[in-house]
Structures are given as structure tokens and as C-alpha cells.
Amino acid sequence: MEHTKNNGNSRTNGSNGNKYGRTAGYSRSGASMRRTLRREAPSTIGLLADEQDFAAMRRYRTFTFDDHTTYLQQVETLLKSLSAQGMHATVALFDPEEYAEYCAESGLAPDTPASRSRFTAEIASAGATVAYTGQPIDTLIPLLVSRAVRRATWEYATMILAGLGECADCGKDVGHAAFDRASHLLLRILETSGPGTHHLVCSTPTDNEHLLAVLHTERDSTGPARLETDEGAEFVTVLAVGIALERPGGVVLRTSRPGAQDRVHGWRLIRGDLVPLSAGEVFSAYCTDADTGEPVAPESHVEYCAGFDLGADEPESHH
């Protein structure tokens, strides 16, 4: 005869020893539990931001929208509904060309909602997204596009640095050394600029693109500058490209402090170093249209100042 040993861990009330079995007083229905889980599952929406992308998706029979304005209104209504239910929602930029390539490479039928959903999940995990916090769709779209452009710039700049290889003279990785130098220069700017709200722009030309990176930081009188991690990495990477390629880029810093005029400083990138511009050069650069070369009226309550010395200490700029 077989005996069962009771070690004190057996369950009663029909749980059959399963620690996830029902317990006394637990009577929530399966539907109720599913609603609870649904509220805790994040939602991602792939957004067709412009008319051209929207028109490209209309060739699919299962894509049933026929008007971009109505489509955007429905997306906004959906986002509001998800938010009202206490659910976290993010928006990703849906690119029809990338979608077609993704389906071809993955062996998926492109004319299905399931394939679009899978692609949206993929781009959300690796691409630029914006969390929905109640902002109007007209505000959300420019933010999403800007973030996507920043992401593409970062990836392109990273690819350039990764492909530079080792220095023929010293054997060091050129891209890594340039990134270290750019990080050092950014820290020197933030340390020397003092307290306030700082807006920095880095411009670096390459053979195929003109790279721009923007960085916003805040610093009080007692601590270091606070900056968003991704923005900082993007800025440093773009600056590093200019250092590694020895291209004639530059950096502009605008600082705002309560009760004072905004101050603008500038530097020219020369052979891996940021060389201060004079006040006149800063004024000329800031008050000239970059596309047309025409003069632009100076802003009121802005003081155009020479760039300050950042020092020439380590790490080395080039090898």
C-alpha cells in the first residue's frame, strides 16, 4: 500500500497543492483578472505621421482608412481611451518602406494587421518612441519626428566612428579615442558654464550628411549639470565624428538665468580642439541664416560673448 507523507506543505480548499490555486475568499472572475492584466500591459501604436506615408499604406486592402486627418483623429481618440483606462501607451514612427523591407526579410504577408502589429513592436523596441501623456496629436507628431531624426543621426554617427579602425601610429581605436575626447570637452563646457539652463548645439559636416545634435541641461549653484542620458550620448557622438574626421564643425552654448540676459558662447572645432570664437564671430554665426547666408536680426535680451577657454588637458584629441 502506498503512503503519502504530509510534510506540512499540502493545500486544502481544492488547491491540490498548487500555490497559485484558489484560496478562501478569492472569488474574482477570469474576466476580471484579464481586465486587470490588460491595464498593466503597455500599448504601442505605430503612427503614420505624414500624408505621403499614409498614402503608401493605402495600397494594402486591410488598411481601411482613406483620410489622413480622420486617421489622426482616431489615433488621438484611441490614445485618450487607453489613458483613461490607466494604461501606458507609447507612439512609434511607422515607416512604410521599412515595413515592406521587414515583411520581405521576415517572410510575412504585409497586407495583414498581425504583420503591422509585429512590425510596430519591433520598431518600438529598437527605435524612437514618445510616451503619451495627454499631449495633443499636433504636439506629439513633431516630437516623435524630431526624436526619430535624432535617433537616425546617432546611429549614422556611431557607424562612422565604428568604421574608422585603429590609428596607424599609436594603434588606438580612433573612434573610441574621439568619443573620449568629446566627452571630456562636453564636461569642460558644463563645468565652466556655471549654473543656469543650458542649450547646446553641435554641428559637424561629413561627406554625406551635415550632422546636428542638441543638448539641454540644467545646473544649480551647488551640483553638477543634469542631462538626459540619450541626449548626452547623441551630442558626444556627433562631436566625436568631427574630432575623428578633423572636420570644421562647431559648438554653440546658450545659457539662461533668472533675471539676467541670455548669454551665447561659441567654439570652432579645429583638429580635435574647441577653439573659442570672438564675440563678433559668435554674433555673426548666430545672426546669419545657415541656408541662405542672409543676416538675421539679433534677439533682444541676448548677449553675444566670446567662447571661454576649455583647457588642453587629457584625453588627447587625436593620434
Side-chain angles (χ1 to χ4, degrees), residues 52-53 138-139 146 191 241 251:
Q52 184 176 354
D53 287 345
D138 290 343
T139 301
S146 173
E191 288 170 358
V241 168
V251 172

Side-chain angles (χ1 to χ4, degrees), residues 80-124:
K80 290 179 179 178
S81 174
L82 294 172
S83 180
Q85 297 174 54
M87 297 169 59
H88 176 75
T90 58
V91 181
L93 200 62
F94 195 105
D95 186 307
E97 291 185 6
E98 291 182 2
Y99 172 64
E101 293 173 1
Y102 171 81
C103 289
E105 293 172 358
S106 305
L108 298 174
D111 197 0
T112 66
S115 295
R116 291 194 290 273
S117 177
R118 182 170 168 179
F119 176 70
T120 298
E122 291 283 345
I123 59 176

Side-chain angles (χ1 to χ4, degrees), residues 268-315:
R268 181 184 293 108
L269 186 60
I270 300 177
R271 293 185 58 81
D273 286 318
L274 287 176
V275 178
L277 297 175
S278 68
E281 289 172 324
V282 172
F283 178 89
S284 177
Y286 215 80
C287 299
T288 301
D289 187 288
D291 295 325
T292 66
E294 296 295 320
V296 177
E299 297 182 56
S300 59
H301 308 295
V302 173
E303 183 179 359
Y304 300 93
C305 311
F308 40 83
D309 184 22
L310 300 177
D313 48 340
E314 292 291 332

Side-chain angles (χ1 to χ4, degrees), residues 40-242:
E40 296 185 11
S43 296
T44 304
I45 295 174
L47 180 67
L48 296 160
D50 60 40
E51 292 271 8
Q52 184 176 354
D53 287 345
F54 180 83
M57 290 302 294
R58 290 195 62 201
R59 69 177 181 267
Y60 299 119
R61 179 185 56 81
T62 57
F63 185 79
T64 57
F65 289 96
D66 56 12
D67 178 76
H68 189 235
T69 300
T70 302
Y71 162 80
L72 292 179
Q73 291 170 348
Q74 292 299 316
V75 169
E76 186 169 22
T77 299
L78 174 59
L79 289 169
K80 290 179 179 178
S81 174
L82 294 172
S83 180
Q85 297 174 54
M87 297 169 59
H88 176 75
T90 58
V91 181
L93 200 62
F94 195 105
D95 186 307
E97 291 185 6
E98 291 182 2
Y99 172 64
E101 293 173 1
Y102 171 81
C103 289
E105 293 172 358
S106 305
L108 298 174
D111 197 0
T112 66
S115 295
R116 291 194 290 273
S117 177
R118 182 170 168 179
F119 176 70
T120 298
E122 291 283 345
I123 59 176
S125 65
T129 61
V130 172
Y132 178 71
T133 58
Q135 62 269 58
I137 195 75
D138 290 343
T139 301
L140 190 148
I141 288 176
L143 180 60
L144 180 61
V145 171
S146 173
R147 192 159 295 179
V149 170
R150 281 175 41 201
R151 181 86 182 193
T153 299
W154 186 9
E155 291 175 350
Y156 178 68
T158 301
M159 180 185 67
I160 291 176
L161 293 178
L164 293 176
E166 297 180 349
C167 175
D169 295 328
C170 68
K172 290 185 178 181
D173 185 284
V174 175
H176 191 277
F179 190 90
D180 286 347
R181 178 63 181 170
S183 301
H184 172 75
L185 290 172
L186 174 59
L187 289 175
R188 288 293 299 141
I189 291 175
L190 297 179
E191 288 170 358
T192 312
S193 58
T197 299
H198 305 296
H199 176 86
L200 296 100
V201 177
C202 177
S203 172
T204 298
T206 69
D207 291 337
N208 300 314
E209 301 283 346
H210 193 105
L211 304 182
L212 286 174
V214 178
L215 176 63
H216 303 271
T217 73
E218 291 187 6
R219 181 182 177 187
D220 56 33
S221 58
T222 59
R226 300 181 296 275
L227 64 154
E228 197 266 329
T229 303
D230 286 348
E231 270 197 0
E234 292 161 8
F235 188 93
V236 168
T237 305
V238 170
L239 179 56
V241 168

